[in-house]
Amino acid sequence: MRLKLIASLLFLTTCFAASGQGQQQSPVVEKGLTKVSVMYPYAEGKTFNMEYYENKHMPMVAKFLGSNLVKYTIEKGVASGIPGQPLPFMAIGTFYVKSLTDYQAAIAPNRDAIRADFSNYTNISPVILVSEVVK
Amino acid sequence: MRLKLIASLLFLTTCFAASGQGQQQSPVVEKGLTKVSVMYPYAEGKTFNMEYYENKHMPMVAKFLGSNLVKYTIEKGVASGIPGQPLPFMAIGTFYVKSLTDYQAAIAPNRDAIRADFSNYTNISPVILVSEVVK
């Protein structure tokens, strides 16, 4: 009986530990990481093929980054949050990496392949922001 | 004995379910949400107090949003990712919400309080992007 109680308690502890770890995963992973955000400004006559970007371009770049890449996200610009102002960006793709140096080293030899792929989904010259996740 | 076995199995199932939910929380939560990104463009003479922004301004706005707010993030601009180009943004604060309509309804009665707080941490007029999380 005492053995069963101990076993149950151990199991309970393991269970809560596993569950707790999972629930806290998002903030633990992101804070302190470097974000490289590739931002596509909106303007008259500009086009962006989200399907190609999501299914071809971003997975290609992600593969170049290897284990330095923690995750990547894609967002589609919908509107400006300030009435009367134009949409700031049509799309933003963001790489969350552990090391900026490793990111640059991984991108450098593949820069031509990445740039050559641009015309397959957009005619926009992106703006790139390197930032640090504060929270 | 059979009862104990059933109880253990039930507990095991609950435990795995809880743990699984936790581990998948990040992707499940973000996709399909609306992001409201408040972006502070960099320019000569512009200032931004990250400490005030993180500890006072963002928590104040987050409180206005209530349960519609899934999470919020803060990032600090470090550099442009394109050599020779200026830093695009000094900081970005992002609210991940379930409903844009609810966001607007919550912000409207508090707009003056939010704007009045701007001068406590920055002299930048922000750009606001409303976007949809694709991935």
Side-chain angles (χ1 to χ4, degrees), chain A:
Chain A
M1 186 62 200
R2 193 176 299 171
L3 207 70
K4 284 214 168 158
L5 189 72
I6 291 168
S8 292
L9 276 173
L10 261 177
F11 185 62
L12 197 71
T13 313
T14 313
C15 180
F16 273 109
S19 159
Q21 249 182 358
Q23 277 163 19
Q24 286 171 20
Q25 193 185 27
S26 178
V28 168
V29 168
E30 290 181 23
K31 190 173 174 169
L33 290 179
T34 294
K35 285 176 75 168
V36 180
S37 299
V38 186
M39 312 165 106
Y40 296 85
Y42 168 78
E44 277 274 329
K46 296 298 180 188
T47 59
F48 194 92
N49 183 334
M50 184 56 86
E51 201 192 328
Y52 187 93
Y53 188 64
E54 186 183 358
N55 297 316
K56 303 280 183 180
H57 184 79
M58 286 295 275
M60 176 187 79
V61 180
K63 205 178 274 180
F64 293 149
L65 299 178
S67 64
N68 183 37
L69 181 68
V70 175
K71 73 167 188 173
Y72 71 90
T73 60
I74 297 171
E75 63 195 282
K76 183 189 168 187
V78 174
S80 166
I82 302 171
Q85 286 200 2
L87 175 67
F89 297 100
M90 286 188 85
I92 302 176
T94 304
F95 301 101
Y96 290 73
V97 296
K98 294 173 210 160
S99 152
L100 180 61
T101 312
D102 290 355
Y103 170 88
Q104 288 164 331
I107 291 298
N110 296 296
R111 208 176 294 276
D112 289 348
I114 295 170
R115 286 200 181 148
D117 197 39
F118 275 10
S119 62
N120 291 322
Y121 65 91
T122 193
N123 58 357
I124 303 173
S125 294
V127 167
I128 304 180
L129 172 67
V130 176
S131 65
E132 181 199 318
V133 178
V134 173
K135 185 193 145 56

Side-chain angles (χ1 to χ4, degrees), chain B residues 47-54 120-122:
Chain B
T47 58
F48 194 92
N49 183 333
M50 183 56 85
E51 200 191 330
Y52 187 93
Y53 188 65
E54 186 183 357
N120 290 322
Y121 65 90
T122 192

